[in-house]
Amino acid sequence: MKRGKVWLAAAGLVIDSSGRWLVVKKAYGGLKGQWSLPAGFVDAGETVDEAAVREVREETGIEASVCGVAGIRSGVIQHDVSDTMVVFHMMPAEEKEPEACGRELLAARWMDVSELQESSDTSVLLRRIIESFEAPGLTSLDISDPGPQFGYTAYRFFG
């Protein structure tokens, strides 16, 4: 699908009853080999929250429902492409082990926040989401460099 110069994506921050976060390792792109949230582009004809539910299901096999907004990531790639992602706080419909579905993922699993903080494979954005998750309201966090592989010239997270 042609995305043009304005991209809209959705991610699911799914937390189970034990406080573990559902994370995935992508098999391609700038997040290859890094723990991140299940995420993807919004398709024509769906709302951004529907996209988050779909992406979580497609990537992990986990059915989840939206509880609220955990944050918004907003960036510009190479002074040209506006790239926005809404991160939704979600709850699993049932607690089961996730499966890395499709060729896009290397792994999918539940991880404790402490494991994510200690892992060298945790993405820059996921680290910022962890830091901001307990704070009330959506505050702006500038992230000067999410990684040179992306080519962002502006990048911030509201969480």
Side-chain angles (χ1 to χ4, degrees), residues 6-120:
V6 178
W7 298 352
L8 179 59
L13 170 53
V14 185
I15 303 175
D16 73 5
S17 63
S18 302
R20 299 177 304 169
W21 290 23
L22 179 63
V23 292
V24 297
K25 273 191 178 182
K26 302 283 187 190
Y28 67 96
L31 290 173
K32 182 178 182 178
Q34 295 182 26
W35 292 117
S36 61
L37 299 175
F41 290 110
V42 177
D43 290 337
E46 72 181 348
T47 63
V48 69
D49 56 304
E50 289 170 340
V53 170
R54 175 183 51 77
E55 287 292 341
V56 167
R57 181 180 58 251
E58 286 178 358
E59 292 190 1
T60 68
I62 300 291
E63 292 290 339
S65 60
V66 171
C67 309
V69 174
I72 300 167
R73 193 242 20 237
S74 180
V76 177
I77 300 171
Q78 298 178 356
H79 301 284
D80 190 42
V81 176
S82 294
D83 181 20
T84 301
M85 181 170 65
V86 180
V87 180
F88 289 94
H89 181 198
M90 302 173 78
M91 292 176 33
E94 62 178 329
E95 297 191 13
K96 64 178 190 173
E97 288 305 308
E99 298 177 30
C101 301
R103 296 183 302 262
E104 294 182 4
L105 299 181
L106 298 171
R109 63 179 284 211
W110 296 105
M111 289 181 75
D112 291 320
V113 169
S114 60
E115 287 179 273
L116 288 167
Q117 290 170 318
E118 293 169 9
S119 175
S120 61

Side-chain angles (χ1 to χ4, degrees), residues 124-143:
V124 170
L125 179 60
L126 187 52
R127 289 184 186 284
R128 296 305 176 268
I129 292 170
I130 291 167
E131 290 171 10
S132 70
F133 191 70
E134 296 299 322
L138 299 179
T139 58
S140 176
L141 298 171
D142 282 332
I143 300 173

